[in-house]
Amino acid sequence: MWIGVVTIFPELFGAFLSTSLIGRARQSGRLQIEVRDLRDFTDDPHRVVDDEPYGGGGGMVMTAPPWLRAVRELSAGRSPRRVLLSPQGRRLDDAKVQELAAEPELLLLCGRYEGIDERVRELVVDEEVSIGDYVLSGGELPAMVLVEAVSRCVPGVVQQQSSVERDSFRSGLLDHPHYTRPAVVEGLAVPPVLLSGDHAAIERWREREALRATATKRPDLLAAAPLTAEQRAVLETCK
Ligand code: 4GX
């Protein structure tokens, strides 16, 4: 998969893209990520990419020409889906992540200041995506969130594909609790079934705890989850 990113702060992406899972996926060629500085697409000798808003009011707006040039140059010879990270976008969820991961090419536009001249959205943006209802200073962190979530869905990026299938949300349920050594932490013991060696019993416990966690922490998810009759019965015993 190819992902292009346009930003005035390309250096923010350095460690993120070289570390861990994404670093390995890039080295293996499963993921190609091209981060470009918006300022490289301006003719202005001072590399200015913002200006005062028409109509007045405070703040600065990113000008259209460098964005149009950046998007068109990065789209040459490809047809990436062009995503603007913005609080006005549709909220990112697992369904959207999987939809975007099915694209061979994505181009992510990271705005700053009050935003980008509206004509950029009209001319070269396919969709706006938000990572949540809170205000950030730029689209860079949202772009990283999107890259990380989407990368996990690209075949071969997560070594243990079973862990992607087990991921919360794919089942519609939250994960069950996890324990590791030591067996006792400040008087709190590991649930004995996990030490029993009885794999069927462990599976039943995990399923029950996943249902319980979802019911107590995210009842909204549970309402939407397609539960089997057996899962509904187990859930009854959790109450
Ligand atoms: N989920 N921000 C973007 C500047 C901006 C505004 C409008 C383009 C259009 C955010 C979020 C977010 C703050 C990133 C404003 N760029 N983006 N920035 N929450 O709050 O995605």
Side-chain angles (χ1 to χ4, degrees):
M1 179 174 200
W2 180 88
I3 306 178
V5 177
V6 182
T7 167
I8 58 167
F9 294 124
E11 64 275 16
L12 285 178
F13 289 82
F16 170 69
L17 293 178
S18 335
T19 305
S20 190
L21 189 120
I22 292 178
R24 276 194 300 276
R26 291 177 75 206
Q27 279 189 326
S28 74
R30 274 181 259 271
L31 218 53
Q32 265 180 284
I33 305 185
E34 209 172 316
V35 181
R36 298 294 303 273
D37 189 338
L38 178 70
R39 296 187 197 279
D40 292 344
F41 298 91
T42 170
D43 299 322
D44 181 83
H46 299 106
R47 300 175 32 104
V48 173
V49 292
D50 62 335
D51 206 336
E52 291 158 355
Y54 277 118
M60 295 297 269
V61 176
M62 298 184 109
T63 61
W67 282 108
L68 298 179
R69 207 176 125 196
V71 169
R72 287 178 180 141
E73 283 190 26
L74 280 159
S75 303
R78 349 182 143 85
S79 45
R81 183 141 152 199
R82 300 177 293 203
V83 178
L84 172 64
L85 288 311
S86 120
Q88 277 101 54
R90 210 191 96 178
R91 181 96 62 87
L92 188 65
D93 61 10
D94 183 62
K96 177 59 73 179
V97 166
Q98 292 194 55
E99 186 188 313
L100 294 175
E103 297 281 342
E105 296 151 346
L106 294 177
L107 182 56
L108 308 181
L109 284 65
C110 307
R112 286 249 153 189
Y113 316 119
E114 305 313 308
I116 307 178
D117 188 302
E118 182 65 10
R119 291 160 294 186
V120 172
R121 201 187 52 74
E122 284 179 51
L123 288 169
V124 296
V125 169
D126 295 313
E127 69 183 299
E128 288 178 279
V129 169
S130 164
I131 64 161
D133 294 338
Y134 37 82
V135 180
L136 301 168
S137 301
E140 287 79 11
L141 285 169
M144 289 186 228
V145 167
L146 198 153
V147 166
E148 185 159 301
V150 161
S151 298
R152 296 180 59 80
C153 303
V154 173
V157 166
V158 175
Q159 302 293 320
Q160 194 97 8
Q161 196 57 31
S162 64
S163 75
V164 175
E165 276 135 38
R166 252 203 340 261
D167 268 347
S168 7
F169 302 120
R170 221 117 310 175
S171 65
L173 296 180
L174 298 181
D175 208 352
H176 55 76
H178 298 269
Y179 295 86
T180 187
R181 282 183 280 271
V184 181
V185 174
E186 299 194 1
L188 299 179
V190 173
V193 63
L194 298 179
L195 309 175
S196 69
D198 181 342
H199 296 295
I202 291 169
E203 257 332 291
R204 284 195 300 276
W205 180 86
R206 287 181 170 162
E207 159 113 293
R208 188 184 153 83
E209 291 304 316
L211 285 162
R212 189 211 301 279
T214 313
T216 54
K217 300 178 188 181
R218 291 293 306 275
D220 58 312
L221 280 184
L222 196 65
L227 297 187
T228 64
E230 199 184 327
Q231 286 176 317
R232 286 182 198 289
V234 172
L235 197 53
E236 281 304 312
T237 70
C238 292
K239 285 180 178 168

